[in-house]
Amino acid sequence: MDDLAGFLRTRRSRVDPAVAGIPTGSRRRVAGLRREEVAHLSGVSVDYYVRLEQGRATQPSEQVLDALARVLGLDDTGRGHLYRLARQHRRLAKAPAGRVRPELRRVLDLVTDAPALIMDHRLGVLAGNHLAALLYGRPLSGLNTARHIFLEEAERGLYADWEKCTLDVVGHLRLAAGKYPDDPRLASLIGELAMGDVNTASAEAVFTLAHPGRSPRGRSGRQRHHWRLSQ
């Protein structure tokens, strides 16, 4: 039996639906909350939560664990136990080395009518075509698009919908942090963005990503027209 799965099932059965804000009736056949109710209250899909209880999902993010702890009414001891079980079953992925495959470089060379970039999971530019260099107006080597979007205020006009871009960046970094939780360069980048002096919903989200459980300050980000080839 998967310990994390068993723990979730046990704790789910102990939650009073009324306390969780779920209308109760005479037709409930299970003790505690249903799986779909936990999923809804936690903000995850039913399919994903079912896979957690079946031991088939092994990389829940800190945000998901925080939400589950809240819905299941865990105290500090229970929350700590939940995190330990999740870490035991997490298959840690090694961060990619950042090398561009030759076939991707060949595809990049074929793109002549639009800016095109190849980026890593930290949104660092690994390669780009001539039009991308012209668009950014600087050498692409060492450019990180997350920093460019969040921290370079003078460049915001380059993005058609800067606010939406900041949300896209936060969403991408949240996924990357869940997949590569032990990547120090990624953690450092998220921390740097969280210190930016901007005030938007996405800035608060990246602060929360950098500092789980702490109240966010204000911050922000941006977007640009280019292709991104998945590395």
Side-chain angles (χ1 to χ4, degrees):
M1 175 186 291
D2 183 282
D3 291 338
L4 175 60
F7 181 73
L8 290 174
R9 288 194 296 269
T10 299
R11 296 305 303 227
R12 173 168 62 86
S13 69
R14 296 178 183 175
V15 178
D16 183 347
V19 173
I22 302 294
T24 57
S26 58
R27 298 193 146 204
R28 294 187 70 89
R29 298 181 180 178
V30 297
L33 296 177
R34 300 186 178 99
R35 285 174 170 175
E36 58 268 25
E37 291 168 344
V38 175
H40 174 73
L41 292 171
S42 303
V44 301
S45 70
V46 175
D47 176 69
Y48 180 73
Y49 182 75
V50 168
R51 286 188 287 120
L52 277 176
E53 281 207 359
Q54 293 176 343
R56 295 188 293 118
T58 57
Q59 292 186 334
S61 68
E62 288 190 0
Q63 288 72 30
V64 168
L65 293 174
D66 283 343
L68 289 173
R70 172 180 52 79
V71 172
L72 298 176
L74 302 182
D75 58 15
D76 289 344
T77 300
R79 183 184 294 264
H81 186 57
L82 174 66
Y83 269 82
R84 283 191 295 274
L85 291 175
R87 283 196 295 269
Q88 288 173 7
H89 290 272
R90 176 175 283 167
R91 293 192 297 268
L92 296 180
K94 185 178 180 180
R99 290 188 293 269
V100 180
R101 299 194 301 270
E103 58 269 29
L104 281 180
R105 286 195 179 273
R106 288 194 290 271
V107 171
L108 192 63
D109 291 340
L110 294 174
V111 181
T112 59
D113 58 351
L117 297 173
I118 298 174
M119 293 186 280
D120 61 19
H121 64 286
R122 307 180 195 97
L123 296 179
V125 175
L126 301 177
N129 65 1
H130 178 64
L131 289 179
L134 290 177
L135 179 64
Y136 281 92
R138 67 180 69 183
L140 296 177
S141 177
L143 174 66
N144 181 279
T145 59
R147 287 192 184 95
H148 192 266
I149 287 173
F150 266 81
L151 303 180
E152 299 194 28
E153 185 174 352
E155 301 292 302
R156 293 185 189 180
L158 295 173
Y159 299 90
D161 188 341
W162 179 76
E163 292 279 353
K164 181 179 183 300
C165 282
T166 63
L167 294 174
D168 290 342
V169 167
V170 172
H172 175 89
L173 292 178
R174 180 175 289 114
L175 291 174
K179 187 173 184 180
Y180 307 111
D182 291 339
D183 181 354
R185 291 176 59 191
L186 178 61
S188 176
L189 170 66
I190 292 172
E192 180 183 350
L193 299 182
M195 296 303 294
D197 187 19
V198 223
N199 294 287
T200 66
S202 54
E204 292 186 357
V206 79
F207 182 85
T208 302
L209 179 60
H211 307 287
R214 287 178 54 186
S215 177
R217 310 182 274 129
R219 336 205 128 51
S220 139
R222 345 162 176 152
Q223 163 177 10
R224 196 179 271 243
H225 296 296
H226 56 58
W227 291 13
R228 187 175 75 203
L229 304 179
S230 177
Q231 171 65 353

